[in-house]
Every structure is written in C-alpha cells, then in structure tokens.
Amino acid sequence: MRRMDTLIGVLSIALLLCFQVCFAKEAAEHITIPVNVGVVLDAHTEIGKMGMKCISMALSDLYASHGSSYKTRLALNRRDSKRSVVGAAAAALDLLKNVEVQAILGPMTSMQANFVINLGDVAQVPIISFSATSPSLSYTRSEFFFRATLNDLSQVQAISAFIHAFGWKAAVPIYVHNEFGEGIIPFLNDALEKINTNLPYRSVIHPLASDDEILKELYKLMTMQTRVFIVHMPFSLGSRLFMKAKEIGMMSKGYVWITTDGMTNFLRLENSAIARSMQGVIGIKPHVRVTKRLQAFSYRWRYNSQEEASIQDLNIYGLWAYDATIALAMAVEKIGPRHFSFQKINVSNGSRDLDSLPVSTVGKDLQHALVDTSFTGISGDFHFKNRQLDTSIFEIINVVGKEKKVIGIWTTENGIPRNLTSMSGDPILPSSAASLDILWPGDSKSVPKGWVIPTNEKKLRIGVPVKDGSKFVRVINDLKSNTSKVSGFSIDIFDAVMATLPYYVPYDYVPFENADGKSAGSYDDMIYQVYLGNFDAVVGDVTIIANRSNYVDFTLPYTESGVTMIVPVKDKMQKTAWVFLKPLTWDLWLTSVCFFIFFAFVIWILERKSNEEFGQTPPQQLGTSLWFSFSTMVSSQREKVVTGLARFVVIIWCFVVLILTQSYTASLTSMLTVSQLEPTLTSIDQLIQNGVKVGYPKGSFVLALLRHLNFNEANLIMYHNMDDLHNAFLDGRIAAAFDELPYMKPFVAKYCSKYTMVAPTLKAGGFGFVFPKGSPLLPDVSRGILIITEEPEMSKFEKGWFGEQNICPDLTTTTSSNRVDVNSFWGLFLIVGAASMLALVVFSSISLYEHRNLFVGSRKSQRIDPIPIISLSNGSEEIEGSCKDKEDSVINYSQQNSMSRSASVEDNEEM
C-alpha cells in the first residue's frame, strides 16, 4: 500500500514537472519586450488630440494583426508640450533622461522640433515628427531627425505653377512670424523668380496678433498694387485674417487668395462665418488616394470620435501620425528583441543636463531600420527619402459655399492637368488655366488680372525726353505758370494706348530736364531713372536695345526699326554737245542706218521702171531712193510711189520709223529734263576706307553703333536735329549720316532730290515705351500698341505730325540707263526686212512670168538659125548692158515687137 502511494506520488510529481515545462515553453514564446517610446504633443490642441488618437489606433491595429509574430511592443510615454518651445524641450529632456525612451514621436511645430532635434542628436534617439514642415529643419542637421510629413518646399513648385498659369507678375506672401512661416519664403521667392514673378512686399503677422493689428496690415495691403496673396499660417490665425479681409472688402472681385497646405489641410467650413469669408479662396494640399482601407479607417475614426466633440475631422496629419507609428513599430521589430538600454555619461557635478544625457545603445540601428522601412500605409506609399516623406502630387481646391471643390491637380511631370482621370493611361494635355473651373472672390468667374492702381498712390510719373525740333516729343515750358506742355507723335500714341486699357490709369508727363529747361542727360540716363524708381515709365523716341533691357522692360515697338545711312545724290548724266547721240546705242544707230539704205534699195527696185519721179538715169534713181528713205523720218518726201508692192513696204517702214523716232524723242527728253540721280557713296566699307566725315544724332545709341563698326572717332561729327543735319551736308562738314528710320524717312521725303537712303539697314528694336522690370502694366500696354497700330488712327497720327510724305523715286530705277538699244527694235526690224524681201520675191516672180516668151524664143534661135540671132545682137547687147548696169532686164515695147517678128520668120523658115 505504501509502495502504491509512493508510486502515485512520484507519477504526480513527474506529471506536474512535465506540465510546468510545457507551460513555461509556451509562455516563453509569448513573451514581448516593451520598448519605451516618447510622445510629445500639444495635448490641448485639436491636432494634438488627433495625433494621439491616431498613434493609439495604429499600435492597436498593428499588434492585433501581428500579435503572435511581433516580439516587441511600443510602450507610449505621453508628454504635453504645452504649446511652447520650452515645454516641448522639457518634455523631451525628461523622456530621454528619466524614462530613457528609444524614440520620440513629435513634437508638433517646427519651432519645437528645432530644439528637440538637438536633444535627439546628443542622445542618438530618432525624433519622428509628423507635423513639423519648415524647410529650415533640414535633414542634414541631424541623422536622427525624421520628418514623417512633407517639407513645405515641396508645395512651392505647385504654387508657382498655378501663378504662372494665369500670368500674374507679382504676389505678396502673408505669413506668420515664426520659423514655420519664415522657412518657406526664400524658396517661394526663388521659385517665383524663375517665372518672372516678383515679391514686391512681404506681409508678416505675429502669431498672437490682435484683430486691430491684422486690420492694420490688411489696410496697408489694400493701398498696394498687387492683388495676389499667398497665405502661409496656421488655420486658427488664417481664419481670423480672412474674416477681417471680408470686413474691409478684400474678398471682392479682382483679388486672388492662395493658401498653403499648412492652412488648407485644416480648412473647416462648418462655421458659416468662416465659410462666407473664404469664398473663392484657392488652396494647395497633398493628394491622398482614397482606398478601401482609408475609408474603413475613416469610418472607425468617426465612430470612435463621437464622444469626443473636441477632436476635429481627420486630416492628412492624422494619417501621417498613424503611418509614422507603424513605421517606428516595424523598425523596432526589425532590429529584434534585445536589451534596449542607455549608456550613462560620467559628468562633473557642475555640468548641464544636456551634458549628462545618456546615449542609446540601439539608436544607430534603429535609425538605419527606419531608413529602410517601406510599406503602403493609409496615406499612401510610406518611405523616407532623405529622412522625410516625398510626394509629387498636389490637389488644387476652390472654396465654394461650404465645400472644398477639387478643381485640378499638380504633378512634377505634367504640371496642372484637368483632373485625376488623366493620370491613368490617357495622354495629358498641357497645363491650361482656362480649363480650371474656378469661382474667384466676389463670386466672379472672370480671371483677376492680379493688380490694380493703388488707392493711395500718386499719379504715375511718366518721363519724357527734352529734344529741340523733335516731332516725337515736344516740351513747351510756361514760365508764368511753371508748367510744361508735352505733345508729339509718341505722346499721342501713348495716350491712345492708355485709353484702350480696361481700367483707368492716372499719369503725368515729367520732362527730363534741368532747371534751365535743357535736357538732364542722355537717353540712357533717362531710362536709368526708371530703374532707380524716379520715373514710373518713359515715353518718347526711345530705341529698344539689348543693354537697356538689363535694367528695364520695353513694350512692343510702335514704329518700324532699323538704323540707316543717308548720303547726298548727284546727277550721273553729263550734258555735252553730243548728248543728242546718247538716246540710242551705237549698235542701234548702225542698224538703223543700214535699214534706211536697204529700204532705199528696195524702193529703187520696185519704182525705177514705173515711176518717172525717181529720175531717168540710174544715179538719179538711187539718189532719189535714198532721199525718199531718209525723208520718212520727218514725213517730208515729195515723191509718190505708184506700185502696190512699194506702197506695202512703205507703210510698214513708216510704222517702224514712227516708233523709232518717238522712242528717240522720249529718251532725249528724259535725259535733258529728268535728273539721273545716284548716291555719292554706296557702302559702309567705302566710308571707312575713304575716311570721310560721318554724322550721328546727339545723345543717341548710334554713336556706340558706329564705334562698333570701327569708324574712326575723329571722323564722327554730332548733329543736334534734322535742320542741323541738312546744314552739315550743305557746309560739307559730313559726307554721310546715320540715324534711325523714323527720323530719316521724313527727312529724305522732304529732300528727295538731295539725299537718299543707302542699304544695308542695320537692325534695331524700334521705338518702345519703358517700364520697370516686372511691371504689370507692360502686357496690357503692349496689347494696346497692337490695337492702335492696326487701326487707321495710326495713319492719322503720322499725317498730323509728319504730313503727307513725298514718295521719292527709287534710285535703283532712276540710275539705270535710259538709252534705247537694238534689243528693243529687233522685232520691228525683222518685220520690215521680211516684208521687203517678200515684196522683192513677188516682184521678181511677176517679171519672170511676163517675159517668159522672150527666154523661150532665145533658146530656139540659138539651136536652129544663128543668123537671126546675129541680127538681134544689138538687142541682146542692150539687154546685157542693162544687166551689167544692174537695171531691169525688161526690153522696151518696140524691141519686143522686133523680136516677135524675128521669131515668126524663123518659125516660117522651119516649116
């Protein structure tokens, strides 16, 4: 029995030990290592409460889904930073020194983080902030600082792209006076400078500013020209700013308000007063893709927050707090269970708390693990790039009613496409401001121009040059009233252009002169006054050139451009005693004489037998024929032609002679009455090589141009006005002059017979109006210039100031030869020659036909009976003699009868 009891006891003990071993092993598998983590938030702010709740939900969700696999657990140690930098620093110091936390989530603001980063760097503990966005918190400051949010620098490009899309040339940032507000400004300024948009003023609001202080700053902004404002401040301060702006009328038509994500992310429009004061505001904020996981989390958030009315709606900072906590827990788990401890620092009794901070033994490993952590969170893809989050997509929202209407997005690759559907597959069109459906302040759909004439500003001071004798700008000083009357072609153009603007711009003309009424300097000096701010613009005959554009901006030119050379002209035709020979060229003279002789020969052939007026002997006939031919030039011939062929030839010849004589008369008249002008000098190289004196206008950039063309300085002579230029040519002081086309064209038109413009025309920008760099007036004035120059009003101004300008003949035509050459008459000579030859052929054919029996009888008598031939030797000798004298071979009527009888006798004898 005892043995049985002993056996049972042993078995019980063995069984108990077995159960203990099994339970110990299972318990060992479920042992978790707590890791202290600090949380430094502003516990009594909405974002602090939201961040704390999201951190708790993140750990709950993570360990619920990975409870069996995770060996570590984050133990949260909460501290209230009490909305101050000192409170945040004290909380972090307590967590590091007394609790020995391995990481800190927080703090909330950039100012708090600026100091806490240094503590984390000393203790080698990662500081993870999900709401400190200032660019001044650079990742290069500490390798232990992680920004689980976006750098404010990332939204700068989106803001500048939006401003550039509408062409606004100036914007005023309104920002809170702390590290959060000031950190973005240098980068915003750089981005806007790249699109030629400047920041004429920076409005700074103190974080604790009263309503009166805010109103004072807003009233100052109202007096300025710019109407585009970029608001960068917390929503609590920004909402007050907008309500005051609404009160004084700064949320009306013509204003543009853009808020950065620091305010847009916290935008709450449930409050009717805030919603009414922000109608038409444009906001920029990061884009978050809506997923089922995000929707489920948002539902749980609203459900869990029903009892906590003080917690605001969930925004992206809560999502980043959630994902940052997940990332930290994953990084802690990644480095594995180990002894998370701190290394104590031996210091003297008089040392500071910072010197006695312990150093984490796992801080560097945890830092590397965080860098390598990457996952898809509820805010999207979560990974650290340069130890901060990065995004390339921003939403552009428009406050309409109580809604935050998404009107478009901005991406680094595509700018501002119309909507998100364009991002998936379909080609994205270029950014177009017109495609954005925006309701602007004042319930306006029209795009604000971004500036107005300031309410407290004096009239614009428009500088004008003082130049004697100029029709472009004429200044008349009234000594009695001490006023100046300004007129001129340029003034009329500027007044007409300003009248086309869709708004009123008051201005006064201010002559650029000394106390004695003389010009105060060169045109460059006058333009420099615009750069210095002494003039708001300059109007006059100011040439657009490159070096001037370094200091000011020019409108489009309102006159044609170019610098031209003028020289005197001379008559190239020398009047001599033999000028009457010059109308025809020598080849035409020779050809004409040859055809006169040929015509005389043709008339002699056709008329010598039938026309007794041409004489009886051959010399008389030839002389009369020559007389008849040359007398056709003056239509004084006494002889009449009787044959039809001669009349045919004479008609054609008279037509040719008529044209020849008329051409001769016209050419000779032109030579004797019209000056044959040509320039005395023809090229710039000729001026330089001959070393002649060259004129240039006083105070003009033309002098620098001539120096650049390598003219000798000693050969450059200055003239004051157009009358002085004319006198300089008359006196022989200069042989050529250079000036701009708007001056030279009226001058040459006035003295057509004395001067001419010689190519080439040197390129220049023309006359334009001068404005300061970045002036918002510039595009509207340039547009007005296009309107005026395309209308008949421009011609009216030109006629009014310069009159009806004479159209001078082009020397390229007047200097060409007026002599008539044979090429102009070869067709007529061909016709008369062909007609003459045709008449001769017809005449010969008729003659041969009429005397055919004579030739036939002669051949028969030669074959049968030579005696009758001998008896007719006298007639034959006469015929032969006539042929030898080149007379017609026709035998007279008596000889024909004799030959006929002889032929009859011969025929009878043969019979």
Side-chain angles (χ1 to χ4, degrees):
M1 197 64 181
R2 289 180 179 177
R3 291 180 179 178
M4 182 63 97
D5 293 339
T6 302
L7 181 60
I8 291 172
V10 172
L11 291 174
S12 299
I13 293 171
L15 184 62
L16 180 61
L17 291 173
C18 182
F19 276 111
Q20 288 178 346
V21 171
C22 292
F23 281 125
K25 183 177 180 180
E26 184 176 354
E29 292 177 355
H30 289 84
I31 291 176
T32 57
I33 300 174
V35 180
N36 285 322
V37 172
V39 180
V40 180
L41 302 175
D42 296 333
H44 300 290
T45 62
E46 293 182 353
I47 187 174
K49 295 175 181 179
M50 178 183 61
M52 193 66 249
K53 190 171 186 64
C54 289
I55 291 172
S56 299
M57 292 179 68
L59 293 179
S60 176
D61 293 345
L62 178 66
Y63 295 137
S65 59
H66 299 84
S68 59
S69 59
Y70 272 49
K71 304 300 182 182
T72 57
R73 292 290 187 272
L74 298 186
L76 301 179
N77 297 270
R78 300 174 177 86
R79 295 292 188 273
D80 182 10
S81 59
K82 300 178 182 180
R83 305 180 68 172
S84 69
V85 175
V86 176
L93 189 61
D94 175 60
L95 290 171
L96 293 172
K97 190 172 182 179
N98 300 323
V99 183
E100 296 185 348
V101 294
Q102 300 298 325
I104 293 178
L105 289 168
M108 297 292 302
T109 67
S110 298
M111 293 75 68
Q112 296 170 351
N114 191 32
F115 187 76
V116 174
I117 289 174
N118 295 328
L119 297 178
D121 195 40
V122 172
Q124 296 188 5
V125 170
I127 307 297
I128 307 171
S129 176
F130 56 85
S131 57
T133 59
S134 175
S136 62
L137 304 176
S138 173
Y139 69 90
T140 59
R141 283 185 53 183
S142 171
E143 60 180 337
F144 291 96
F145 173 62
F146 288 83
R147 196 200 308 263
T149 182
L150 295 181
N151 189 331
D152 279 339
L153 181 60
S154 60
Q155 65 181 318
V156 164
Q157 297 301 323
I159 295 173
S160 64
F162 184 81
I163 291 175
H164 182 60
F166 291 96
W168 297 316
K169 295 302 181 184
V172 172
I174 307 175
Y175 56 95
V176 63
H177 185 36
N178 56 29
E179 191 162 357
F180 163 73
E182 296 170 349
I184 193 177
I185 300 304
F187 302 98
L188 180 63
N189 182 64
D190 292 343
L192 294 180
E193 279 187 352
K194 292 180 180 179
I195 60 172
N196 294 323
T197 299
N198 64 331
L199 302 181
Y201 178 73
R202 300 181 184 186
S203 178
V204 182
I205 306 293
H206 193 274
L208 302 178
S210 63
D211 290 349
D212 290 340
E213 291 173 333
I214 293 175
L215 279 173
K216 181 180 179 181
E217 187 64 24
L218 289 176
Y219 278 123
K220 184 186 296 184
L221 295 177
M222 283 186 69
T223 64
M224 297 181 182
Q225 198 174 47
T226 306
R227 288 294 180 263
V228 180
F229 303 110
I230 304 171
V231 181
H232 182 60
M233 59 182 58
F235 179 73
S236 58
L237 181 60
S239 60
R240 292 170 54 208
L241 175 78
F242 279 106
M243 293 180 70
K244 294 303 174 183
K246 176 71 174 177
E247 288 181 13
I248 63 176
M250 292 185 69
M251 296 303 299
S252 57
K253 184 177 180 180
Y255 284 88
V256 179
W257 294 88
I258 303 172
T259 61
T260 62
D261 66 347
M263 184 171 180
T264 308
N265 287 324
F266 293 96
L267 195 58
R268 298 177 65 183
L269 302 175
E270 293 82 4
N271 187 314
S272 298
I274 295 178
R276 285 194 301 269
S277 67
M278 297 189 66
Q279 292 300 298
V281 171
I282 301 296
I284 306 292
K285 69 174 186 177
H287 168 68
V288 178
R289 183 174 300 176
V290 179
T291 61
K292 292 182 178 180
R293 183 181 175 191
L294 177 58
Q295 290 175 334
F297 178 79
S298 299
Y299 175 78
R300 289 193 299 118
W301 167 269
R302 289 193 299 269
Y303 179 78
N304 295 333
S305 301
Q306 288 178 354
E307 298 179 356
E308 303 180 49
S310 61
I311 297 182
Q312 67 170 29
D313 291 340
L314 179 66
N315 61 35
I316 195 170
Y317 290 104
L319 305 184
W320 283 330
Y322 183 96
D323 287 343
T325 305
I326 297 293
L328 178 59
M330 293 175 64
V332 169
E333 184 65 24
K334 189 179 295 185
I335 64 176
R338 63 173 68 184
H339 182 59
F340 292 89
S341 61
F342 275 75
Q343 180 181 355
K344 301 296 181 179
I345 303 297
N346 295 324
V347 294
S348 61
N349 293 332
S351 62
R352 299 169 300 174
D353 286 342
L354 292 179
D355 298 328
S356 61
L357 275 180
V359 177
S360 173
T361 58
V362 297
K364 286 189 174 294
D365 295 336
L366 185 58
Q367 184 261 347
H368 292 309
L370 281 169
V371 171
D372 296 333
T373 299
S374 178
F375 62 96
T376 301
I378 58 175
S379 64
D381 294 334
F382 189 97
H383 67 279
F384 289 108
K385 181 179 181 181
N386 294 327
R387 294 190 296 281
Q388 62 185 6
L389 297 187
D390 184 38
T391 186
S392 59
I393 305 176
F394 281 88
E395 293 180 1
I396 303 173
I397 65 105
N398 185 204
V399 177
V400 180
K402 290 188 176 183
E403 296 182 3
K404 295 176 286 187
K405 180 182 177 183
V406 179
I407 59 174
I409 63 169
W410 174 88
T411 65
T412 54
E413 296 83 7
N414 304 300
I416 307 177
R418 176 64 184 85
N419 50 49
L420 288 177
T421 58
S422 302
M423 298 179 60
S424 56
D426 297 333
I428 296 177
L429 297 176
S431 169
S432 174
S435 67
L436 301 178
D437 183 18
I438 300 176
L439 179 68
W440 302 99
D443 295 330
S444 174
K445 283 289 186 179
S446 59
V447 178
K449 64 178 180 291
W451 68 278
V452 294
I453 299 299
T455 57
N456 72 333
E457 195 87 359
K458 295 183 295 184
K459 293 181 179 180
L460 297 181
R461 289 171 51 84
I462 308 297
V464 294
V466 176
K467 189 176 182 181
D468 295 337
S470 174
K471 293 185 178 181
F472 288 91
V473 177
R474 180 177 296 170
V475 179
I476 301 176
N477 294 318
D478 188 348
L479 299 179
K480 294 182 179 180
S481 60
N482 195 26
T483 59
S484 298
K485 182 180 178 181
V486 181
S487 60
F489 176 73
S490 299
I491 302 301
D492 286 351
I493 295 295
F494 185 75
D495 290 340
V497 167
M498 298 305 287
T500 65
L501 302 184
Y503 42 84
Y504 174 67
V505 180
Y507 57 90
D508 285 329
Y509 292 114
V510 181
F512 183 58
E513 61 184 2
N514 296 320
D516 58 357
K518 300 296 183 180
S519 176
S522 66
Y523 275 51
D524 288 337
D525 297 332
M526 179 177 61
I527 292 170
Y528 194 64
Q529 299 304 309
V530 176
Y531 176 76
L532 296 177
N534 297 327
F535 287 149
D536 297 305
V538 165
V539 171
D541 47 347
V542 181
T543 306
I544 304 171
I545 54 178
N547 65 332
R548 291 174 177 174
S549 64
N550 295 327
Y551 304 96
V552 295
D553 281 340
F554 288 92
T555 63
L556 293 176
Y558 61 90
T559 63
E560 59 184 324
S561 62
V563 175
T564 187
M565 176 177 75
I566 66 167
V567 296
V569 295
K570 62 180 180 180
D571 192 346
K572 72 170 186 176
M573 182 61 64
Q574 297 180 356
K575 307 299 191 299
T576 63
W578 302 100
V579 69
F580 67 90
L581 294 176
K582 292 187 177 181
L584 305 183
T585 59
W586 288 110
D587 55 351
L588 182 57
W589 278 116
L590 183 61
T591 304
S592 299
V593 171
C594 291
F595 264 86
F596 273 105
I597 297 174
F598 175 70
F599 174 72
F601 172 75
V602 172
I603 294 300
W604 175 68
I605 293 295
L606 298 179
E607 290 290 316
R608 76 177 183 85
K609 186 188 78 169
S610 305
N611 195 338
E612 295 179 355
E613 292 185 5
F614 278 78
Q616 299 298 323
T617 64
Q620 291 178 340
Q621 293 177 350
L622 287 175
T624 303
S625 297
L626 290 173
W627 161 257
F628 180 84
S629 175
F630 283 96
S631 65
T632 55
M633 291 189 296
V634 293
S635 301
S636 62
Q637 60 271 19
R638 294 172 299 172
E639 297 78 6
K640 296 181 180 179
V641 290
V642 297
T643 62
L645 290 175
R647 289 174 179 175
F648 168 72
V649 175
V650 168
I651 289 174
I652 296 177
W653 174 250
C654 286
F655 175 72
V656 173
V657 171
L658 175 64
I659 296 177
L660 182 63
T661 55
Q662 293 297 323
S663 299
Y664 173 85
T665 303
S667 179
L668 181 60
T669 303
S670 175
M671 289 182 178
L672 295 177
T673 59
V674 178
S675 298
Q676 305 296 301
L677 303 177
E678 64 178 0
T680 55
L681 298 165
T682 58
S683 68
I684 296 176
D685 292 337
Q686 188 177 3
L687 297 178
I688 298 174
Q689 292 173 2
N690 295 343
V692 298
K693 302 293 184 180
V694 175
Y696 68 91
K698 178 184 178 182
S700 173
F701 75 99
V702 174
L703 175 60
L705 179 63
L706 296 178
R707 290 170 176 166
H708 181 71
L709 293 174
N710 296 322
F711 277 90
N712 189 341
E713 189 83 20
N715 294 330
L716 300 180
I717 307 298
M718 181 183 68
Y719 61 86
H720 295 81
N721 49 47
M722 293 295 104
D723 292 336
D724 189 23
L725 172 62
H726 179 54
N727 293 330
F729 276 119
L730 294 180
D731 298 342
R733 284 181 286 155
I734 59 175
F738 286 84
D739 209 337
E740 296 174 81
L741 278 175
Y743 299 118
M744 288 307 193
K745 289 185 68 176
F747 180 78
V748 173
K750 183 178 179 180
Y751 302 103
C752 271
S753 61
K754 296 181 180 296
Y755 310 105
T756 186
M757 289 186 289
V758 179
T761 299
L762 305 176
K763 294 299 181 181
F767 291 165
F769 303 134
V770 181
F771 285 90
K773 282 282 189 182
S775 172
L777 275 173
L778 190 69
D780 290 339
V781 174
S782 293
R783 194 176 300 111
I785 289 175
L786 292 178
I787 294 173
I788 294 301
T789 53
E790 293 173 359
E791 292 182 352
E793 194 172 5
M794 188 69 173
S795 299
K796 184 179 71 174
F797 293 145
E798 291 176 348
K799 292 178 181 178
W801 284 101
F802 303 108
E804 292 285 351
Q805 297 184 12
N806 299 324
I807 301 177
C808 295
D810 188 359
L811 292 188
T812 57
T813 59
T814 58
T815 57
S816 60
S817 175
N818 287 325
R819 305 183 70 185
V820 183
D821 57 16
V822 72
N823 292 327
S824 303
F825 285 87
W826 73 268
L828 293 175
F829 287 139
L830 178 64
I831 292 173
V832 74
S836 299
M837 294 303 297
L838 178 62
L840 291 177
V841 171
V842 172
F843 176 79
S844 300
S845 300
I846 293 174
S847 297
L848 292 175
Y849 179 77
E850 290 178 351
H851 302 93
R852 62 187 182 283
N853 294 333
L854 173 64
F855 294 104
V856 172
S858 298
R859 287 195 297 272
K860 288 183 179 180
S861 61
Q862 288 174 359
R863 290 196 307 268
I864 300 174
D865 189 2
I867 297 174
I869 296 175
I870 294 173
S871 65
L872 297 175
S873 61
N874 294 332
S876 300
E877 289 174 0
E878 289 179 4
I879 295 174
E880 291 176 1
S882 298
C883 292
K884 290 179 182 179
D885 294 334
K886 297 183 179 180
E887 295 179 355
D888 191 24
S889 61
V890 182
I891 306 175
N892 58 42
Y893 180 75
S894 61
Q895 291 175 332
Q896 292 179 4
N897 292 337
S898 176
M899 291 179 64
S900 299
R901 287 193 299 267
S902 300
S904 298
V905 172
E906 291 175 358
D907 292 338
N908 292 330
E909 289 176 353
E910 289 176 357
M911 296 178 59

